[in-house]
Amino acid sequence: MNQKVKRGVFGKEIYHYFCLESTNKVAYLLAKKGAEEGTVVVADEQTQGEGRGDHYWYSPQGGLWFSLILRPRMISSETSRLSILGATGIAMSIDRLFSSLKVRIRWPNDVVIKDKKVAGVLIKVRTERSDVNFAIMGIGVNLNVREFPSPLSFIATSLIKETGDSTSKKRFLESTLEELENLYFSSQVNGHMLLEKARSFSSLLGRQVEVITTEGKFQGLVQDLDEDGGLILRLESGLHKKILPEEGCIKERSPKI
Ligand code: BTN
């Protein structure tokens, strides 16, 4: 892949590796040494890809595995929205390049096609007191991954499986960085555009779900998403509960009515 993609800030500097343990680890070290916002680390293959909740992320050749260094002007409690921002940017990029695919976001960070995961986002934040020093947005897209080992084969898909064609990594990276950059800078001025886009791709609005959180399980109807990337649940008691991306994950109960 070329070392430069046509971008403003995101992707101005790209470090490309054939194989890494994890792009997140390398990006974290670069950011600690002062790398600029928008710097990207990409690897053709990862041997210890990191997923959410300490899960291993399957990262063979063919996928797009990259990490983006961000220096957001936010306090640490506001960084929750970066998960939803990442997932929305990927969904917009897939939608732009493959308009016939029905891409959805399963809160907070799963990008899915026909309920199977095609991409995911992992955010790592380094803070100093309540200030955010930097954040790493790790993105994994199952681009040209033809096969998944069991049990992943039941829950994961790829763009090549869905479209029958392979996709240029460079083109997909360029398009995703462009969507992410627009969302990132516009949401620093006004969070509405991000929220509207995230809502339009949400697979959960209006659905009954079970959310597993650190506080326990909650069942209810998904009423909305909010600017922090939180899920607003109407509980069976009639009360509302807001759950932040880092606090929970979804177990779906019934199809959308
Ligand atoms: C998830 O569990 O959904 C998040 C997956 C994030 C995977 C990406 S691949 C590039 C970056 N480097 C990693 O080690 N993980 C992220």
Side-chain angles (χ1 to χ4, degrees), residues 22-24 46 48-52 57 65-67 109-110 117 120-122 138-140:
S22 158
T23 57
N24 268 15
Q46 298 183 117
Q48 288 176 34
E50 299 168 351
R52 213 170 158 244
W57 181 261
W65 323 123
F66 73 97
S67 300
N109 70 330
D110 291 351
K117 185 154 169 168
V121 182
L122 179 65
I139 290 188

Coordinates of all heavy atoms in Angstrom, one line a residue, residues 22-24 46 48-52 57 65-67 109-110 117 120-122 138-140, ligand 1:
S22 N 0.0 -6.0 17.3 CA -1.3 -5.3 17.3 C -0.9 -3.8 16.9 O 0.0 -3.2 17.5 CB -1.9 -5.2 18.8 OG -2.7 -4.1 18.9
T23 N -1.7 -3.3 16.0 CA -1.5 -1.9 15.6 C -1.8 -0.9 16.7 O -1.2 0.1 16.8 CB -2.4 -1.5 14.4 OG1 -3.8 -1.7 14.7 CG2 -2.1 -2.3 13.1
N24 N -2.7 -1.3 17.6 CA -3.0 -0.4 18.8 C -1.8 -0.2 19.6 O -1.5 0.9 20.1 CB -4.1 -1.1 19.6 CG -5.5 -0.6 19.2 OD1 -5.6 0.0 18.1 ND2 -6.5 -0.8 20.0
Q46 N -2.1 -9.3 12.0 CA -1.8 -9.1 13.5 C -1.7 -10.5 14.1 O -2.6 -11.3 13.9 CB -2.8 -8.3 14.2 CG -3.0 -6.8 13.6 CD -4.0 -6.0 14.4 OE1 -3.7 -5.1 15.0 NE2 -5.3 -6.5 14.4
Q48 N -1.5 -10.7 17.6 CA -2.3 -10.6 18.9 C -3.3 -9.4 18.8 O -3.2 -8.5 19.7 CB -1.3 -10.3 20.0 CG -0.5 -11.6 20.4 CD 0.6 -11.3 21.4 OE1 0.4 -10.5 22.4 NE2 1.7 -11.9 21.3
G49 N -4.1 -9.5 17.8 CA -5.1 -8.4 17.6 C -6.0 -8.3 18.9 O -6.4 -9.4 19.4
E50 N -6.2 -7.1 19.3 CA -7.0 -6.9 20.6 C -8.4 -6.6 20.2 O -8.7 -5.6 19.4 CB -6.4 -5.8 21.4 CG -5.0 -6.0 21.8 CD -4.3 -4.7 22.3 OE1 -4.9 -3.6 22.2 OE2 -3.2 -4.9 22.9
G51 N -9.4 -7.3 20.8 CA -10.8 -6.9 20.7 C -11.3 -6.3 22.0 O -10.6 -6.3 23.0
R52 N -12.6 -6.0 21.9 CA -13.2 -5.4 23.1 C -13.4 -6.4 24.2 O -13.5 -7.6 23.9 CB -14.6 -4.9 22.7 CG -15.1 -3.7 23.4 CD -16.3 -3.1 22.8 NE -17.0 -2.3 23.8 CZ -18.2 -2.6 24.3 NH1 -18.8 -3.6 23.9 NH2 -18.7 -1.8 25.2
W57 N -8.8 -10.6 18.7 CA -9.4 -10.2 17.4 C -8.7 -11.0 16.2 O -7.5 -10.7 16.0 CB -9.3 -8.7 17.2 CG -9.9 -8.2 15.9 CD1 -9.2 -7.9 14.8 CD2 -11.3 -8.0 15.7 NE1 -10.1 -7.5 13.8 CE2 -11.4 -7.5 14.4 CE3 -12.5 -8.1 16.4 CZ2 -12.6 -7.2 13.8 CZ3 -13.7 -7.8 15.9 CH2 -13.7 -7.3 14.6
W65 N -6.6 -3.7 9.1 CA -6.4 -3.6 10.6 C -5.6 -2.3 10.8 O -4.4 -2.2 10.3 CB -5.6 -4.8 11.1 CG -5.9 -6.1 10.5 CD1 -5.1 -7.0 9.9 CD2 -7.2 -6.8 10.5 NE1 -5.8 -8.1 9.5 CE2 -7.1 -8.0 9.8 CE3 -8.5 -6.4 10.9 CZ2 -8.1 -8.9 9.5 CZ3 -9.6 -7.3 10.6 CH2 -9.4 -8.5 10.0
F66 N -6.2 -1.3 11.4 CA -5.4 -0.1 11.6 C -5.8 0.6 12.9 O -6.9 0.4 13.4 CB -5.5 0.8 10.4 CG -6.9 1.5 10.2 CD1 -7.1 2.8 10.6 CD2 -7.9 0.9 9.5 CE1 -8.3 3.5 10.5 CE2 -9.2 1.5 9.4 CZ -9.3 2.8 9.8
S67 N -4.9 1.5 13.3 CA -5.1 2.4 14.5 C -4.9 3.8 14.1 O -3.9 4.1 13.4 CB -4.2 1.9 15.6 OG -4.5 0.6 16.0
N109 N -20.3 -0.7 19.2 CA -19.1 -0.6 18.3 C -19.1 -1.7 17.2 O -18.1 -1.9 16.5 CB -17.8 -0.6 19.1 CG -17.6 -2.0 19.6 OD1 -18.5 -2.7 20.0 ND2 -16.3 -2.4 19.8
D110 N -20.2 -2.5 17.1 CA -20.1 -3.6 16.1 C -20.8 -3.0 14.8 O -21.9 -2.5 14.8 CB -21.0 -4.8 16.5 CG -20.4 -5.5 17.7 OD1 -19.2 -5.2 18.0 OD2 -21.1 -6.4 18.2
K117 N -21.0 -9.7 12.2 CA -20.1 -8.6 12.4 C -19.1 -8.5 11.2 O -18.4 -9.5 10.9 CB -19.4 -8.9 13.7 CG -18.4 -7.8 14.1 CD -18.3 -7.7 15.6 CE -17.2 -6.8 16.0 NZ -17.2 -6.6 17.5
G120 N -15.2 -3.8 13.7 CA -15.3 -3.4 15.1 C -14.3 -2.3 15.4 O -13.4 -2.1 14.7
V121 N -14.6 -1.7 16.6 CA -13.8 -0.5 17.0 C -13.4 -0.7 18.4 O -14.2 -1.1 19.3 CB -14.6 0.8 16.9 CG1 -13.8 2.0 17.3 CG2 -15.2 1.0 15.6
L122 N -12.1 -0.4 18.7 CA -11.6 -0.5 20.1 C -10.9 0.8 20.4 O -10.0 1.2 19.8 CB -10.7 -1.6 20.2 CG -10.0 -1.9 21.6 CD1 -11.1 -2.3 22.6 CD2 -9.0 -3.0 21.5
G138 N -8.7 1.9 17.4 CA -8.3 0.7 16.6 C -9.5 0.2 15.8 O -10.6 0.0 16.4
I139 N -9.3 0.0 14.5 CA -10.4 -0.4 13.7 C -10.0 -1.7 12.9 O -8.9 -1.8 12.3 CB -10.7 0.7 12.7 CG1 -11.4 1.9 13.5 CG2 -11.6 0.2 11.5 CD1 -11.9 3.0 12.6
G140 N -10.9 -2.6 13.0 CA -10.7 -3.9 12.3 C -11.9 -4.1 11.3 O -13.0 -4.1 11.7
Ligands
BTN1 C1 -14.1 -5.3 18.8 O1 -13.9 -6.2 19.6 O2 -15.1 -5.2 18.1 C2 -13.0 -4.4 18.5 C3 -12.0 -4.9 17.5 C4 -10.9 -4.0 17.1 C5 -9.8 -4.6 16.3 C6 -8.8 -3.7 15.7 S1 -7.8 -4.4 14.5 C7 -6.8 -3.0 14.5 C8 -6.6 -2.6 16.0 N1 -5.5 -3.3 16.6 C9 -5.9 -4.2 17.5 O3 -5.2 -4.9 18.1 N2 -7.3 -4.1 17.6 C10 -7.9 -3.1 16.7

